Amino acid sequence: MPRKSLKHHLYVIIFGTHTRAGRAFDIALIAAIITSLVVLILESLPSVMTEWSQELRYIEYTFTALFTLEYLLRLYCSPKPKSYATSFYGVVDLLAILPTYLAIFFPGASFMGVVRLLRVMRIFRILKLVRYLQDSNVLLRSLLMARRKIFIFFSTVGILVIILGSLIFVIEGPHNGFTSIPKSIYWAIVTITTVGYGDMVPQTNLGKAIASITMLLGYSILAVPTGIITAELSNEMNAHKELVKCPNCNRSGHDSDAIHCKHCGSELADPDNRVVAGDENEKSS
Amino acid sequence: MPRKSLKHHLYVIIFGTHTRAGRAFDIALIAAIITSLVVLILESLPSVMTEWSQELRYIEYTFTALFTLEYLLRLYCSPKPKSYATSFYGVVDLLAILPTYLAIFFPGASFMGVVRLLRVMRIFRILKLVRYLQDSNVLLRSLLMARRKIFIFFSTVGILVIILGSLIFVIEGPHNGFTSIPKSIYWAIVTITTVGYGDMVPQTNLGKAIASITMLLGYSILAVPTGIITAELSNEMNAHKELVKCPNCNRSGHDSDAIHCKHCGSELADPDNRVVAGDENEKSS
Amino acid sequence: MPRKSLKHHLYVIIFGTHTRAGRAFDIALIAAIITSLVVLILESLPSVMTEWSQELRYIEYTFTALFTLEYLLRLYCSPKPKSYATSFYGVVDLLAILPTYLAIFFPGASFMGVVRLLRVMRIFRILKLVRYLQDSNVLLRSLLMARRKIFIFFSTVGILVIILGSLIFVIEGPHNGFTSIPKSIYWAIVTITTVGYGDMVPQTNLGKAIASITMLLGYSILAVPTGIITAELSNEMNAHKELVKCPNCNRSGHDSDAIHCKHCGSELADPDNRVVAGDENEKSS
Amino acid sequence: MPRKSLKHHLYVIIFGTHTRAGRAFDIALIAAIITSLVVLILESLPSVMTEWSQELRYIEYTFTALFTLEYLLRLYCSPKPKSYATSFYGVVDLLAILPTYLAIFFPGASFMGVVRLLRVMRIFRILKLVRYLQDSNVLLRSLLMARRKIFIFFSTVGILVIILGSLIFVIEGPHNGFTSIPKSIYWAIVTITTVGYGDMVPQTNLGKAIASITMLLGYSILAVPTGIITAELSNEMNAHKELVKCPNCNRSGHDSDAIHCKHCGSELADPDNRVVAGDENEKSS
């Protein structure tokens, strides 16, 4: 441990999650993020906007100031600011404050569209919350391990959707609402994912047949990603079992809370290769 | 066992499920609940209400009287009435009779809406049936063990829905029906859960693209909760693990091929001490 | 084996699936069933009915005659006719011929509705095909073993649907299309199963909130039955592993094709408790 | 290895994926396929077609020329051209060029429909990409191993859909949009797959009841294919089993904790003979 400098102190509070101060800071930050999101959503309600636009803008400025301060402090106290600024969270923290400043510097009166876009872009502040979903790494690892299979699955779906979309485009044709292949592919996606808006539906019998095939396909291939994730997850969740081996009879398959080998009863070595999620996350952030 | 006082006798009949009288009482109660629900549902049918309103009201009063009696008896014979009155079922039992009395004391002519709301609250009485689905504890335990992962999953869905809703709000805008961010988030939920009412559909090409991404996301992330539950369930369902207890340290969780207790290393006995779910549940109720 | 009487001969051909004649009979029967279904479906097309009604009726009579013959033969050659007549397949075989006779004896001119019903009831002939899905017993066994959990799941869905339906009924009210609790429950089912017809959609904000909860509920609890079936299925598929034990080291967990114990290398007993699906099915039919 | 003739050289470049030239060829091919798909999709946009039809046709001709060259080269350098021409990829490669030639030889002016069909048929070029999804063989093997169960599942769905469709046809009748059994079966598919377009919805109460049952059925039986695939996949993904081969009898399929070959009982060696997927795929292509 280095000496407790102010910088390090700040680091522990802002980036850390183990000290009481650190936890307090995190909770305050979460509260601020959620409040600012509520403000943003309220701003989108015409009724509210007409009455409270002024107040909402002031609140918005306050939050922007707070998040700016947070961003600068993070830059200051982070051991390597560059890597933070370029990290996922660094970019998110910047995105969280940028829009307001842009909206100020380019007076919105002239081009509302951009300003509305900027105002809504602040929604990405929600990504600041992702920092607090860190314990999802079992899920993430499963998804990572399955990424090849998932990519293959999506490629297959993509190919199916393009073929089925083109078929329905030829069969139904423009006069039934299938005016182009992209629109028909959109229909195929709506159908294969079993969403079924009903804004585009086949009229001809052949089209209905294709639609039925698309639905049954979508209905059943849904099983594939589920199978992939499930298989990976149960592997992940049994990972430990494979790790620990009995020093005496050298058999594996022990639970994470096993102290004795269930086969020969001799003591098991302590499981000392357990990674403390918190630590590595701080490093990665 | 204490001496068979009337109070204890009632307790065994009303709260118990093992004696013949207790089972008879439960069956009668279920019948009463279901009938009263049918009455309540019939009351909602205008055609029925015009003709039979009088009869239905009388039936309604009868049931309320019965359930009031049941509530008072439970309060009387329960060993600790306070804890029952404050327990989940205690509150439900009270909620089940309250509306009718309120409807009597405050003549509904003035504010029917509220009274109807109260009367519909009686639907919660059906939760009393949950008490008879005791074997759901394998499912419940799996869900409990997975609650962290499930919470993370829902947070992710929440974040996705807010971001996608805001994007579609900016892209489609009010003139296409996306009049506010909350409504757009509602659309995002309708789409990501693959419900697809079709009451709000994107009109622009960019909007359709966002919609397609939302659908494919919803279609594939559905795999995650399934994977979680499945993995937990198959753990849970490794029934033997739950049944065999170590005769020495009395800990369970041994594999079906375990010969020695993995905790203390002593030999395991044959599985003969199955826990009777009913008993502990009664205590918890 | 008894002596090859005509009766037994017929039995082997009609009920059996192992002899060449038996297989030929089955294939002919499947062809007949499917053709009669096609005829039935064609009859429902007005355009076809106007032109070919006469021909179709004759074809229909032919098939009915054939199926009647089959039914009588089955009754004749079955070792215990009563148990066949009362078995699932016996009832189905009767259902397959009854409607036509009813339609003949009660001349349809008078009450078309009933006749249409009778004609369509012949669709149940398709159930005759179920006899040839016999190899589904791994699936069936899994479903049977999971039936308790599945029942609990459906009860939960039922309770949820009633509560959510009543809530939406109170919130939206008749003027938004939610005219009664049954209709509202129908809406809740449409929503929780993520079907989302869009014929009934909430108009109020509170209603939209309830709808969102319903969707997310339906979206995620779908994971539960999947988890149940998957867990049961993988148990079923690993069942054998648990059955065979090594005679030397008495450890289980061997694959179905294992000849030697993977732990100590000693020979395994032949797996002679493998049930031949075909045989028992014939008995059960 | 034969001597490095031009023919073999081409073979390595066109069919191979391990040499730098081979990889370069593949990347170029993928780029060509995707570009030609984009062109095809653009052609379907009326706005684009009116302006750029000429240019698009020329681009189209170029791609057809390129793919023709590729096809001829493959025929030339493949060790056994016949088996390539009749293989899945051979047919696909032919399908990718045929339509354009047909469109040229039969001047479209006369019968537009066929030409539009031919033009869109070129979409099957996308199947040329399947060649690059080769690593999906774990998925494919799982699906193959589960094909019996999947077939049974689809038969069951088919039977359900026909019965439910016929029921709704009888209940709702033509005046509610259920004009024929095929259309009603289409509705049943739309409902059981939880797509729910909403173009056909039951009006009567009995119809709504049938619909509810259909939805709940579709909602829950979705669990079955998922369970099947998952169970098969986790078997497949027990990677070790696939890798370790017995040095004596050369059979694989041993558990990760196997010390002796379960077939012949001889000691197992360390897993060192991993199969390189690429090689066998080339053979199979």
PDB file of all heavy atoms in Angstrom, chain D residues 55-81:
ATOM      1  N   GLU D  55     -26.811   1.107 -64.445  1.00  0.00           N
ATOM      2  CA  GLU D  55     -25.565   0.823 -63.714  1.00  0.00           C
ATOM      3  C   GLU D  55     -25.702  -0.495 -62.967  1.00  0.00           C
ATOM      4  O   GLU D  55     -24.838  -1.371 -63.044  1.00  0.00           O
ATOM      5  CB  GLU D  55     -25.257   1.948 -62.716  1.00  0.00           C
ATOM      6  CG  GLU D  55     -24.897   3.263 -63.375  1.00  0.00           C
ATOM      7  CD  GLU D  55     -26.124   4.044 -63.854  1.00  0.00           C
ATOM      8  OE1 GLU D  55     -27.221   3.446 -63.900  1.00  0.00           O
ATOM      9  OE2 GLU D  55     -25.983   5.225 -64.190  1.00  0.00           O
ATOM     10  N   LEU D  56     -26.843  -0.656 -62.268  1.00  0.00           N
ATOM     11  CA  LEU D  56     -27.024  -1.856 -61.455  1.00  0.00           C
ATOM     12  C   LEU D  56     -26.930  -3.100 -62.327  1.00  0.00           C
ATOM     13  O   LEU D  56     -26.301  -4.086 -61.950  1.00  0.00           O
ATOM     14  CB  LEU D  56     -28.379  -1.801 -60.737  1.00  0.00           C
ATOM     15  CG  LEU D  56     -28.465  -0.811 -59.582  1.00  0.00           C
ATOM     16  CD1 LEU D  56     -29.890  -0.720 -59.039  1.00  0.00           C
ATOM     17  CD2 LEU D  56     -27.517  -1.187 -58.457  1.00  0.00           C
ATOM     18  N   ARG D  57     -27.509  -3.017 -63.569  1.00  0.00           N
ATOM     19  CA  ARG D  57     -27.462  -4.196 -64.424  1.00  0.00           C
ATOM     20  C   ARG D  57     -26.016  -4.539 -64.764  1.00  0.00           C
ATOM     21  O   ARG D  57     -25.580  -5.677 -64.655  1.00  0.00           O
ATOM     22  CB  ARG D  57     -28.284  -4.010 -65.700  1.00  0.00           C
ATOM     23  CG  ARG D  57     -28.560  -5.370 -66.357  1.00  0.00           C
ATOM     24  CD  ARG D  57     -29.233  -5.302 -67.702  1.00  0.00           C
ATOM     25  NE  ARG D  57     -30.509  -4.605 -67.648  1.00  0.00           N
ATOM     26  CZ  ARG D  57     -30.743  -3.465 -68.314  1.00  0.00           C
ATOM     27  NH1 ARG D  57     -29.788  -2.931 -69.056  1.00  0.00           N
ATOM     28  NH2 ARG D  57     -31.915  -2.886 -68.228  1.00  0.00           N
ATOM     29  N   TYR D  58     -25.222  -3.498 -65.089  1.00  0.00           N
ATOM     30  CA  TYR D  58     -23.811  -3.749 -65.443  1.00  0.00           C
ATOM     31  C   TYR D  58     -23.085  -4.390 -64.261  1.00  0.00           C
ATOM     32  O   TYR D  58     -22.416  -5.430 -64.410  1.00  0.00           O
ATOM     33  CB  TYR D  58     -23.132  -2.440 -65.851  1.00  0.00           C
ATOM     34  CG  TYR D  58     -23.636  -1.925 -67.181  1.00  0.00           C
ATOM     35  CD1 TYR D  58     -23.735  -0.569 -67.445  1.00  0.00           C
ATOM     36  CD2 TYR D  58     -24.031  -2.828 -68.184  1.00  0.00           C
ATOM     37  CE1 TYR D  58     -24.213  -0.108 -68.665  1.00  0.00           C
ATOM     38  CE2 TYR D  58     -24.512  -2.379 -69.390  1.00  0.00           C
ATOM     39  CZ  TYR D  58     -24.605  -1.014 -69.642  1.00  0.00           C
ATOM     40  OH  TYR D  58     -25.087  -0.580 -70.834  1.00  0.00           O
ATOM     41  N   ILE D  59     -23.253  -3.809 -63.077  1.00  0.00           N
ATOM     42  CA  ILE D  59     -22.600  -4.388 -61.886  1.00  0.00           C
ATOM     43  C   ILE D  59     -23.013  -5.855 -61.765  1.00  0.00           C
ATOM     44  O   ILE D  59     -22.175  -6.752 -61.605  1.00  0.00           O
ATOM     45  CB  ILE D  59     -23.020  -3.623 -60.603  1.00  0.00           C
ATOM     46  CG1 ILE D  59     -22.575  -2.160 -60.699  1.00  0.00           C
ATOM     47  CG2 ILE D  59     -22.433  -4.280 -59.363  1.00  0.00           C
ATOM     48  CD1 ILE D  59     -23.139  -1.287 -59.601  1.00  0.00           C
ATOM     49  N   GLU D  60     -24.318  -6.092 -61.927  1.00  0.00           N
ATOM     50  CA  GLU D  60     -24.849  -7.447 -61.817  1.00  0.00           C
ATOM     51  C   GLU D  60     -24.128  -8.383 -62.787  1.00  0.00           C
ATOM     52  O   GLU D  60     -23.660  -9.461 -62.401  1.00  0.00           O
ATOM     53  CB  GLU D  60     -26.357  -7.429 -62.117  1.00  0.00           C
ATOM     54  CG  GLU D  60     -26.998  -8.795 -62.139  1.00  0.00           C
ATOM     55  CD  GLU D  60     -26.618  -9.623 -60.943  1.00  0.00           C
ATOM     56  OE1 GLU D  60     -26.487  -9.077 -59.835  1.00  0.00           O
ATOM     57  OE2 GLU D  60     -26.420 -10.835 -61.112  1.00  0.00           O
ATOM     58  N   TYR D  61     -23.983  -7.937 -64.043  1.00  0.00           N
ATOM     59  CA  TYR D  61     -23.321  -8.779 -65.054  1.00  0.00           C
ATOM     60  C   TYR D  61     -21.896  -9.095 -64.617  1.00  0.00           C
ATOM     61  O   TYR D  61     -21.438 -10.241 -64.688  1.00  0.00           O
ATOM     62  CB  TYR D  61     -23.326  -8.083 -66.426  1.00  0.00           C
ATOM     63  CG  TYR D  61     -24.705  -8.057 -67.065  1.00  0.00           C
ATOM     64  CD1 TYR D  61     -24.995  -7.184 -68.102  1.00  0.00           C
ATOM     65  CD2 TYR D  61     -25.727  -8.897 -66.621  1.00  0.00           C
ATOM     66  CE1 TYR D  61     -26.255  -7.147 -68.687  1.00  0.00           C
ATOM     67  CE2 TYR D  61     -26.977  -8.867 -67.190  1.00  0.00           C
ATOM     68  CZ  TYR D  61     -27.242  -8.000 -68.226  1.00  0.00           C
ATOM     69  OH  TYR D  61     -28.487  -7.971 -68.774  1.00  0.00           O
ATOM     70  N   THR D  62     -21.189  -8.072 -64.091  1.00  0.00           N
ATOM     71  CA  THR D  62     -19.807  -8.294 -63.647  1.00  0.00           C
ATOM     72  C   THR D  62     -19.756  -9.403 -62.608  1.00  0.00           C
ATOM     73  O   THR D  62     -18.990 -10.361 -62.735  1.00  0.00           O
ATOM     74  CB  THR D  62     -19.253  -6.989 -63.029  1.00  0.00           C
ATOM     75  OG1 THR D  62     -19.851  -5.880 -63.680  1.00  0.00           O
ATOM     76  CG2 THR D  62     -17.742  -6.946 -63.113  1.00  0.00           C
ATOM     77  N   PHE D  63     -20.629  -9.270 -61.593  1.00  0.00           N
ATOM     78  CA  PHE D  63     -20.606 -10.267 -60.522  1.00  0.00           C
ATOM     79  C   PHE D  63     -20.910 -11.655 -61.073  1.00  0.00           C
ATOM     80  O   PHE D  63     -20.247 -12.632 -60.754  1.00  0.00           O
ATOM     81  CB  PHE D  63     -21.611  -9.912 -59.425  1.00  0.00           C
ATOM     82  CG  PHE D  63     -21.063  -8.908 -58.455  1.00  0.00           C
ATOM     83  CD1 PHE D  63     -21.666  -7.679 -58.297  1.00  0.00           C
ATOM     84  CD2 PHE D  63     -19.926  -9.186 -57.721  1.00  0.00           C
ATOM     85  CE1 PHE D  63     -21.150  -6.746 -57.408  1.00  0.00           C
ATOM     86  CE2 PHE D  63     -19.407  -8.269 -56.830  1.00  0.00           C
ATOM     87  CZ  PHE D  63     -20.021  -7.043 -56.677  1.00  0.00           C
ATOM     88  N   THR D  64     -21.900 -11.727 -61.954  1.00  0.00           N
ATOM     89  CA  THR D  64     -22.248 -13.035 -62.526  1.00  0.00           C
ATOM     90  C   THR D  64     -21.033 -13.614 -63.236  1.00  0.00           C
ATOM     91  O   THR D  64     -20.705 -14.792 -63.053  1.00  0.00           O
ATOM     92  CB  THR D  64     -23.418 -12.882 -63.504  1.00  0.00           C
ATOM     93  OG1 THR D  64     -24.434 -12.106 -62.889  1.00  0.00           O
ATOM     94  CG2 THR D  64     -23.961 -14.241 -63.907  1.00  0.00           C
ATOM     95  N   ALA D  65     -20.331 -12.776 -63.991  1.00  0.00           N
ATOM     96  CA  ALA D  65     -19.119 -13.240 -64.686  1.00  0.00           C
ATOM     97  C   ALA D  65     -18.132 -13.791 -63.662  1.00  0.00           C
ATOM     98  O   ALA D  65     -17.621 -14.915 -63.799  1.00  0.00           O
ATOM     99  CB  ALA D  65     -18.505 -12.084 -65.459  1.00  0.00           C
ATOM    100  N   LEU D  66     -17.894 -13.016 -62.615  1.00  0.00           N
ATOM    101  CA  LEU D  66     -16.934 -13.442 -61.584  1.00  0.00           C
ATOM    102  C   LEU D  66     -17.356 -14.783 -60.985  1.00  0.00           C
ATOM    103  O   LEU D  66     -16.556 -15.729 -60.949  1.00  0.00           O
ATOM    104  CB  LEU D  66     -16.856 -12.391 -60.474  1.00  0.00           C
ATOM    105  CG  LEU D  66     -16.038 -11.135 -60.784  1.00  0.00           C
ATOM    106  CD1 LEU D  66     -16.166 -10.122 -59.654  1.00  0.00           C
ATOM    107  CD2 LEU D  66     -14.582 -11.501 -61.000  1.00  0.00           C
ATOM    108  N   PHE D  67     -18.613 -14.891 -60.579  1.00  0.00           N
ATOM    109  CA  PHE D  67     -19.065 -16.129 -59.925  1.00  0.00           C
ATOM    110  C   PHE D  67     -19.009 -17.296 -60.910  1.00  0.00           C
ATOM    111  O   PHE D  67     -18.727 -18.427 -60.537  1.00  0.00           O
ATOM    112  CB  PHE D  67     -20.475 -15.951 -59.365  1.00  0.00           C
ATOM    113  CG  PHE D  67     -20.526 -15.036 -58.175  1.00  0.00           C
ATOM    114  CD1 PHE D  67     -21.473 -14.031 -58.093  1.00  0.00           C
ATOM    115  CD2 PHE D  67     -19.620 -15.171 -57.130  1.00  0.00           C
ATOM    116  CE1 PHE D  67     -21.517 -13.180 -56.987  1.00  0.00           C
ATOM    117  CE2 PHE D  67     -19.662 -14.331 -56.033  1.00  0.00           C
ATOM    118  CZ  PHE D  67     -20.608 -13.335 -55.963  1.00  0.00           C
ATOM    119  N   THR D  68     -19.275 -17.000 -62.211  1.00  0.00           N
ATOM    120  CA  THR D  68     -19.173 -18.062 -63.217  1.00  0.00           C
ATOM    121  C   THR D  68     -17.738 -18.567 -63.276  1.00  0.00           C
ATOM    122  O   THR D  68     -17.467 -19.775 -63.200  1.00  0.00           O
ATOM    123  CB  THR D  68     -19.583 -17.527 -64.598  1.00  0.00           C
ATOM    124  OG1 THR D  68     -20.762 -16.753 -64.452  1.00  0.00           O
ATOM    125  CG2 THR D  68     -19.794 -18.658 -65.578  1.00  0.00           C
ATOM    126  N   LEU D  69     -16.802 -17.625 -63.353  1.00  0.00           N
ATOM    127  CA  LEU D  69     -15.382 -17.991 -63.370  1.00  0.00           C
ATOM    128  C   LEU D  69     -15.057 -18.858 -62.150  1.00  0.00           C
ATOM    129  O   LEU D  69     -14.487 -19.947 -62.274  1.00  0.00           O
ATOM    130  CB  LEU D  69     -14.535 -16.706 -63.354  1.00  0.00           C
ATOM    131  CG  LEU D  69     -13.020 -16.922 -63.413  1.00  0.00           C
ATOM    132  CD1 LEU D  69     -12.622 -17.497 -64.762  1.00  0.00           C
ATOM    133  CD2 LEU D  69     -12.279 -15.603 -63.160  1.00  0.00           C
ATOM    134  N   GLU D  70     -15.483 -18.398 -60.974  1.00  0.00           N
ATOM    135  CA  GLU D  70     -15.212 -19.152 -59.745  1.00  0.00           C
ATOM    136  C   GLU D  70     -15.754 -20.585 -59.888  1.00  0.00           C
ATOM    137  O   GLU D  70     -15.046 -21.556 -59.617  1.00  0.00           O
ATOM    138  CB  GLU D  70     -15.889 -18.464 -58.553  1.00  0.00           C
ATOM    139  CG  GLU D  70     -15.646 -19.160 -57.222  1.00  0.00           C
ATOM    140  CD  GLU D  70     -16.868 -19.097 -56.324  1.00  0.00           C
ATOM    141  OE1 GLU D  70     -17.837 -18.396 -56.668  1.00  0.00           O
ATOM    142  OE2 GLU D  70     -16.874 -19.783 -55.290  1.00  0.00           O
ATOM    143  N   TYR D  71     -17.005 -20.686 -60.380  1.00  0.00           N
ATOM    144  CA  TYR D  71     -17.641 -22.003 -60.490  1.00  0.00           C
ATOM    145  C   TYR D  71     -16.824 -22.901 -61.409  1.00  0.00           C
ATOM    146  O   TYR D  71     -16.511 -24.054 -61.059  1.00  0.00           O
ATOM    147  CB  TYR D  71     -19.066 -21.829 -61.036  1.00  0.00           C
ATOM    148  CG  TYR D  71     -19.848 -23.117 -61.132  1.00  0.00           C
ATOM    149  CD1 TYR D  71     -20.109 -23.864 -59.996  1.00  0.00           C
ATOM    150  CD2 TYR D  71     -20.333 -23.567 -62.354  1.00  0.00           C
ATOM    151  CE1 TYR D  71     -20.838 -25.042 -60.064  1.00  0.00           C
ATOM    152  CE2 TYR D  71     -21.064 -24.754 -62.426  1.00  0.00           C
ATOM    153  CZ  TYR D  71     -21.307 -25.479 -61.285  1.00  0.00           C
ATOM    154  OH  TYR D  71     -22.023 -26.646 -61.355  1.00  0.00           O
ATOM    155  N   LEU D  72     -16.421 -22.361 -62.570  1.00  0.00           N
ATOM    156  CA  LEU D  72     -15.661 -23.168 -63.530  1.00  0.00           C
ATOM    157  C   LEU D  72     -14.334 -23.597 -62.916  1.00  0.00           C
ATOM    158  O   LEU D  72     -13.914 -24.756 -63.018  1.00  0.00           O
ATOM    159  CB  LEU D  72     -15.444 -22.369 -64.819  1.00  0.00           C
ATOM    160  CG  LEU D  72     -16.732 -22.016 -65.567  1.00  0.00           C
ATOM    161  CD1 LEU D  72     -16.441 -21.108 -66.747  1.00  0.00           C
ATOM    162  CD2 LEU D  72     -17.449 -23.283 -66.021  1.00  0.00           C
ATOM    163  N   LEU D  73     -13.651 -22.658 -62.239  1.00  0.00           N
ATOM    164  CA  LEU D  73     -12.362 -22.986 -61.612  1.00  0.00           C
ATOM    165  C   LEU D  73     -12.551 -24.098 -60.591  1.00  0.00           C
ATOM    166  O   LEU D  73     -11.774 -25.051 -60.532  1.00  0.00           O
ATOM    167  CB  LEU D  73     -11.762 -21.747 -60.954  1.00  0.00           C
ATOM    168  CG  LEU D  73     -11.097 -20.754 -61.904  1.00  0.00           C
ATOM    169  CD1 LEU D  73     -10.625 -19.514 -61.149  1.00  0.00           C
ATOM    170  CD2 LEU D  73      -9.919 -21.411 -62.616  1.00  0.00           C
ATOM    171  N   ARG D  74     -13.593 -24.001 -59.793  1.00  0.00           N
ATOM    172  CA  ARG D  74     -13.838 -25.036 -58.785  1.00  0.00           C
ATOM    173  C   ARG D  74     -14.021 -26.392 -59.477  1.00  0.00           C
ATOM    174  O   ARG D  74     -13.449 -27.402 -59.072  1.00  0.00           O
ATOM    175  CB  ARG D  74     -15.089 -24.696 -57.964  1.00  0.00           C
ATOM    176  CG  ARG D  74     -14.844 -23.679 -56.864  1.00  0.00           C
ATOM    177  CD  ARG D  74     -16.059 -23.503 -55.972  1.00  0.00           C
ATOM    178  NE  ARG D  74     -15.904 -22.380 -55.059  1.00  0.00           N
ATOM    179  CZ  ARG D  74     -15.303 -22.462 -53.871  1.00  0.00           C
ATOM    180  NH1 ARG D  74     -14.791 -23.604 -53.460  1.00  0.00           N
ATOM    181  NH2 ARG D  74     -15.202 -21.397 -53.089  1.00  0.00           N
ATOM    182  N   LEU D  75     -14.828 -26.371 -60.568  1.00  0.00           N
ATOM    183  CA  LEU D  75     -15.054 -27.618 -61.313  1.00  0.00           C
ATOM    184  C   LEU D  75     -13.727 -28.163 -61.818  1.00  0.00           C
ATOM    185  O   LEU D  75     -13.436 -29.361 -61.732  1.00  0.00           O
ATOM    186  CB  LEU D  75     -15.985 -27.361 -62.499  1.00  0.00           C
ATOM    187  CG  LEU D  75     -17.483 -27.470 -62.206  1.00  0.00           C
ATOM    188  CD1 LEU D  75     -18.280 -27.151 -63.453  1.00  0.00           C
ATOM    189  CD2 LEU D  75     -17.832 -28.871 -61.701  1.00  0.00           C
ATOM    190  N   TYR D  76     -12.868 -27.235 -62.313  1.00  0.00           N
ATOM    191  CA  TYR D  76     -11.605 -27.661 -62.927  1.00  0.00           C
ATOM    192  C   TYR D  76     -10.658 -28.265 -61.897  1.00  0.00           C
ATOM    193  O   TYR D  76     -10.163 -29.383 -62.070  1.00  0.00           O
ATOM    194  CB  TYR D  76     -10.952 -26.462 -63.620  1.00  0.00           C
ATOM    195  CG  TYR D  76      -9.497 -26.675 -63.955  1.00  0.00           C
ATOM    196  CD1 TYR D  76      -9.132 -27.593 -64.955  1.00  0.00           C
ATOM    197  CD2 TYR D  76      -8.499 -26.007 -63.273  1.00  0.00           C
ATOM    198  CE1 TYR D  76      -7.800 -27.811 -65.249  1.00  0.00           C
ATOM    199  CE2 TYR D  76      -7.162 -26.219 -63.560  1.00  0.00           C
ATOM    200  CZ  TYR D  76      -6.821 -27.131 -64.547  1.00  0.00           C
ATOM    201  OH  TYR D  76      -5.500 -27.349 -64.836  1.00  0.00           O
ATOM    202  N   CYS D  77     -10.467 -27.540 -60.774  1.00  0.00           N
ATOM    203  CA  CYS D  77      -9.378 -27.947 -59.869  1.00  0.00           C
ATOM    204  C   CYS D  77      -9.834 -28.943 -58.803  1.00  0.00           C
ATOM    205  O   CYS D  77      -9.009 -29.499 -58.092  1.00  0.00           O
ATOM    206  CB  CYS D  77      -8.753 -26.730 -59.198  1.00  0.00           C
ATOM    207  SG  CYS D  77      -9.868 -25.993 -58.015  1.00  0.00           S
ATOM    208  N   SER D  78     -11.158 -29.134 -58.680  1.00  0.00           N
ATOM    209  CA  SER D  78     -11.601 -30.099 -57.663  1.00  0.00           C
ATOM    210  C   SER D  78     -11.122 -31.499 -58.041  1.00  0.00           C
ATOM    211  O   SER D  78     -11.212 -31.899 -59.209  1.00  0.00           O
ATOM    212  CB  SER D  78     -13.123 -30.087 -57.579  1.00  0.00           C
ATOM    213  OG  SER D  78     -13.567 -31.320 -57.067  1.00  0.00           O
ATOM    214  N   PRO D  79     -10.564 -32.260 -57.072  1.00  0.00           N
ATOM    215  CA  PRO D  79     -10.078 -33.611 -57.399  1.00  0.00           C
ATOM    216  C   PRO D  79     -11.154 -34.476 -58.043  1.00  0.00           C
ATOM    217  O   PRO D  79     -10.908 -35.172 -59.018  1.00  0.00           O
ATOM    218  CB  PRO D  79      -9.632 -34.166 -56.056  1.00  0.00           C
ATOM    219  CG  PRO D  79     -10.194 -33.256 -55.024  1.00  0.00           C
ATOM    220  CD  PRO D  79     -10.386 -31.934 -55.669  1.00  0.00           C
ATOM    221  N   LYS D  80     -12.407 -34.419 -57.516  1.00  0.00           N
ATOM    222  CA  LYS D  80     -13.492 -35.168 -58.174  1.00  0.00           C
ATOM    223  C   LYS D  80     -14.642 -34.205 -58.477  1.00  0.00           C
ATOM    224  O   LYS D  80     -15.525 -33.990 -57.633  1.00  0.00           O
ATOM    225  CB  LYS D  80     -13.962 -36.367 -57.350  1.00  0.00           C
ATOM    226  CG  LYS D  80     -13.831 -36.220 -55.834  1.00  0.00           C
ATOM    227  CD  LYS D  80     -14.095 -37.528 -55.106  1.00  0.00           C
ATOM    228  CE  LYS D  80     -13.367 -37.599 -53.793  1.00  0.00           C
ATOM    229  NZ  LYS D  80     -13.543 -36.440 -52.911  1.00  0.00           N
ATOM    230  N   PRO D  81     -14.630 -33.593 -59.707  1.00  0.00           N
ATOM    231  CA  PRO D  81     -15.600 -32.530 -60.063  1.00  0.00           C
ATOM    232  C   PRO D  81     -17.043 -32.975 -59.873  1.00  0.00           C
ATOM    233  O   PRO D  81     -17.863 -32.201 -59.373  1.00  0.00           O
ATOM    234  CB  PRO D  81     -15.297 -32.263 -61.540  1.00  0.00           C
ATOM    235  CG  PRO D  81     -13.898 -32.737 -61.732  1.00  0.00           C
ATOM    236  CD  PRO D  81     -13.725 -33.905 -60.813  1.00  0.00           C
TER     237      PRO D  81
END
